Amino acid sequence: MKIRLDRKLPSCPKMLLCTVTSTAFEVGKIRIFLYTDQGLLLGDISPACLKLSSSEIRYKLRDQACAILQTEEAACDRCSSSTRERALELLQAAQEHVRFPSAFDWWMKKFEIFSEESQEVEATRTGLSDYYVLERSRLQKILDDDRE
């Protein structure tokens, strides 16, 4: 598994659920995601869980999967394939070693966020924010067209 860093988007809710412990936590400027080695996004990780060791994270993921499966067995009349798939994803991910972001990764993400925020503030200050949004949407359309 790999932990990746990303900027918190304005549309992101203030509180998220941790994939490792299923507890709610408040998101800072940087979102912390957990991906499998195959590139499957498992979900967000709380800053508290980021302090855990690789083996502790794997153990908690196994516990999560077992809890999901036990809950599903108890409510057999409502057995859902999506919950079973989620439990299997967590069990499979729990077998992978966790790779944490380096100090350089953190520094680069913080610098990237600072740079983007500075550009947005400067565009607003100079009255170019509408132009910035328009140009950004044009660029997004070009990128979307290239994907097709």
Side-chain angles (χ1 to χ4, degrees), residues 5-18:
L5 309 173
D6 204 354
R7 179 181 182 188
K8 176 186 164 192
L9 298 175
S11 60
C12 177
K14 194 172 194 172
M15 299 293 285
L16 295 174
L17 277 179
C18 178

Side-chain angles (χ1 to χ4, degrees), residues 17 27 33 38 43 61-62 72 82 84 108:
L17 277 179
V27 182
F33 294 108
Q38 293 78 30
L61 286 175
R62 276 192 297 274
E72 186 176 304
S82 63
R84 181 176 297 273
M108 285 300 295

Side-chain angles (χ1 to χ4, degrees), residues 116-144:
E116 289 174 2
E117 288 175 346
S118 298
Q119 288 175 355
E120 291 168 3
V121 168
E122 186 62 20
T124 302
R125 187 183 70 77
T126 59
L128 296 175
S129 61
D130 293 335
Y131 178 75
Y132 176 74
V133 169
L134 178 64
E135 287 303 310
R136 190 170 188 171
S137 65
R138 286 182 187 166
L139 177 62
Q140 187 63 41
K141 286 179 185 177
I142 291 169
L143 293 173
D144 289 342

Side-chain angles (χ1 to χ4, degrees), residues 35-63:
Y35 286 85
T36 64
D37 289 339
Q38 293 78 30
L40 175 69
L41 173 63
L42 292 174
D44 291 276
I45 295 183
S46 68
C49 287
L50 190 61
K51 296 175 183 174
L52 299 174
S53 69
S54 176
S55 59
E56 290 172 314
I57 289 174
R58 292 168 46 209
Y59 178 78
K60 289 183 181 280
L61 286 175
R62 276 192 297 274
D63 280 353

Side-chain angles (χ1 to χ4, degrees), residues 15-121:
M15 299 293 285
L16 295 174
L17 277 179
C18 178
T19 300
V20 177
T21 60
S22 288
T23 57
F25 68 95
E26 191 169 339
V27 182
K29 288 186 177 187
I30 297 177
R31 281 184 75 178
I32 308 164
F33 294 108
L34 182 63
Y35 286 85
T36 64
D37 289 339
Q38 293 78 30
L40 175 69
L41 173 63
L42 292 174
D44 291 276
I45 295 183
S46 68
C49 287
L50 190 61
K51 296 175 183 174
L52 299 174
S53 69
S54 176
S55 59
E56 290 172 314
I57 289 174
R58 292 168 46 209
Y59 178 78
K60 289 183 181 280
L61 286 175
R62 276 192 297 274
D63 280 353
Q64 284 277 83
C66 290
I68 290 171
L69 291 173
Q70 287 173 352
T71 303
E72 186 176 304
E73 286 177 10
C76 194
D77 57 330
R78 295 180 283 131
C79 290
S80 168
S81 63
S82 63
T83 55
R84 181 176 297 273
E85 287 175 13
R86 177 66 176 165
L88 293 175
E89 286 172 358
L90 293 176
L91 280 174
Q92 185 177 11
Q95 296 174 7
E96 301 174 2
H97 178 71
V98 181
R99 292 183 308 281
F100 293 89
S102 67
F104 180 74
D105 293 331
W106 281 98
W107 186 85
M108 285 300 295
K109 188 51 67 177
K110 288 178 182 180
F111 180 75
E112 178 185 320
I113 291 170
F114 174 75
S115 175
E116 289 174 2
E117 288 175 346
S118 298
Q119 288 175 355
E120 291 168 3
V121 168

